[in-house]
Amino acid sequence: MNRWRHTMVFANPPHHTRLRRLVSSAFTHRHVGALTATIGRHSDQLLNQLAQQPGGDFISTVAFPLPTQVIGELLGVPSADRPRLATLVPQAMKVFEPFTDPTILGRAAEAEAELADYFTRLLTHKRRHHKGDLLTRLAVARDDEALTDTEMIATAILLLGAGLETTAKLLGNGLHTLLTHPDQLDLLRSNPDLIPRAIEEILRFEPPAHLNPRTVLQPCTLSDIELVPGQFVIALLAAANRDPAQFTDPDHFNINRTQAPPLSFGSGIHYCLGAHLARLEATEFFRRMLRRYPTIELSGQPHRERGSNLRGFINLPVQLIGPVTHQPVS
């Protein structure tokens, strides 16, 4: 499971700069915005499926399939391969849970190995059959930009995992938060223009990722604690998002909040490349869902995943009730 260490997540400049530069062009507002139609089409299809299953599970029916299709489109993963990858990613991402059971870590290693084998074959194929997707750009990059084979495979796994797992949790956390705060849901229905602000508040109030590990590079003092190079520290992003010095009444979910943006996507040179894509997916999805279904309600007891970093739901049973269950929204 050392492939993660060949990604930009575990790198500093200049190595980080080289890794990030090659993939950053795919996450510009122009490139991401071009996926709006794809997001809308898949959102409508998945909402239709959920509406036909009274009491269906939002997580397995919508929250994971939607980002699977979107990140698959961006990377250039064939449609037929995406469902299998969607089952492997949550297993492989368990390495980012600090207290994961060793047995689960073993399965995570197996999932990562299968992902690596898959991307080895796919990248080889893309060297011979060029298309306009991100994996093709990785595979055919010029010598001055090219990644090693190990770096390419690790980067592909990272982008798939980050684009799928955290966005799925954002959707699930977002829906549950709205359903358990009906006053805010009613406010959002009456003023859909608040959806982008609501997404920011969901990211602050119930972020998909809670921790951000770092290694000290230079001697420094933080909250009267002397830190020395080589020490390992963990920033609690979820706690920072509830800092009363930054947010008024931080334990209150308020979609009208206009204070500092949350730290859910990190900051600095390691700020999440896919932040704009995740926001667009959530914004477009909730816009369509709220417009199509006047009544959305929990239909059973949700079950949360156990973990201290990646936080979400195992299942989230819901019922969609509305006059429109089959026609897409423009």
Side-chain angles (χ1 to χ4, degrees):
M1 291 192 291
N2 289 325
R3 291 182 187 88
W4 296 110
R5 303 216 171 259
H6 295 276
T7 68
M8 66 188 79
V9 173
F10 291 95
N12 288 313
H15 184 46
H16 171 272
T17 306
R18 182 176 67 89
L19 291 171
R20 187 172 175 115
R21 182 175 59 237
L22 187 57
V23 300
S24 61
S25 61
F27 290 93
T28 63
H29 281 241
R30 181 172 64 86
H31 279 94
V32 168
L35 291 168
T36 301
T38 296
I39 296 168
R41 182 176 70 255
H42 288 296
S43 294
D44 286 330
Q45 292 170 351
L46 296 169
L47 283 168
N48 287 342
Q49 293 176 27
L50 185 62
Q52 294 166 9
Q53 306 170 31
D57 177 30
F58 177 79
I59 302 302
S60 61
T61 306
V62 177
F64 268 91
L66 178 57
T68 297
Q69 296 297 338
V70 175
I71 194 63
E73 186 93 3
L74 182 68
L75 292 178
V77 172
S79 298
D81 298 341
R82 294 172 192 173
R84 175 57 182 165
L85 299 184
T87 66
L88 293 172
V89 164
Q91 298 175 42
M93 295 290 281
K94 292 298 183 183
V95 299
F96 293 102
E97 281 294 343
F99 306 109
T100 300
D101 182 90
T103 303
I104 295 176
L105 283 177
R107 291 199 292 269
E110 293 171 0
E112 182 195 324
E114 186 173 339
L115 287 169
D117 288 343
Y118 173 80
F119 281 116
T120 297
R121 296 192 302 271
L122 184 58
L123 286 162
T124 299
H125 174 79
K126 288 183 179 294
R127 286 193 184 102
R128 300 169 183 162
H129 306 279
H130 297 180
K131 294 186 177 180
D133 54 66
L134 178 53
L135 291 182
T136 296
R137 275 184 292 220
L138 289 179
V140 302
R142 300 187 305 273
D143 289 343
D144 59 335
E145 292 183 330
L147 306 183
T148 67
D149 287 347
T150 299
E151 289 171 339
M152 272 193 292
I153 294 164
T155 297
I157 295 173
L158 171 67
L159 294 174
L160 178 69
L164 199 167
E165 179 86 353
T166 55
T167 303
K169 285 177 166 51
L170 169 60
L171 295 173
N173 293 353
L175 180 57
H176 181 265
T177 301
L178 289 171
L179 293 179
T180 52
H181 294 81
D183 61 321
Q184 297 298 292
L185 178 57
D186 289 344
L187 177 60
L188 194 58
R189 283 190 180 282
S190 65
N191 189 356
D193 289 342
L194 285 175
I195 289 179
R197 190 178 295 175
I199 301 304
E200 294 304 297
E201 179 66 351
I202 289 167
L203 284 163
R204 183 196 72 83
F205 189 80
E206 191 70 86
H210 283 215
L211 310 178
N212 205 336
R214 289 289 182 263
T215 300
V216 179
L217 298 180
Q218 297 179 352
C220 61
T221 303
L222 183 64
S223 298
D224 298 324
I225 298 175
E226 299 293 331
L227 300 176
V228 298
Q231 274 188 302
F232 187 70
V233 297
I234 297 178
L236 302 180
L237 300 183
N241 284 345
R242 303 245 185 150
D243 183 356
Q246 294 293 326
F247 302 100
T248 303
D249 196 8
D251 293 330
H252 177 64
F253 179 68
N254 175 15
I255 65 171
N256 265 317
R257 193 181 297 277
T258 58
Q259 293 165 297
L263 292 176
S264 305
F265 290 119
S267 63
I269 64 169
H270 286 283
Y271 184 77
C272 177
L273 264 177
H276 180 52
L277 178 58
R279 287 184 171 110
L280 179 64
E281 287 183 66
T283 298
E284 186 69 13
F285 172 76
F286 281 112
R287 181 181 73 83
R288 288 171 176 263
M289 183 180 67
L290 294 176
R291 182 184 293 182
R292 292 181 62 176
Y293 300 98
T295 301
I296 305 167
E297 55 191 27
L298 291 171
S299 58
Q301 179 63 43
H303 293 91
R304 285 186 179 271
E305 289 186 67
R306 298 179 64 183
S308 54
N309 183 17
L310 298 175
R311 299 289 296 277
F313 289 86
I314 298 172
N315 58 56
L316 183 62
V318 299
Q319 178 133 352
L320 305 181
I321 304 172
V324 181
T325 59
H326 62 280
Q327 295 179 353
V329 175
S330 61

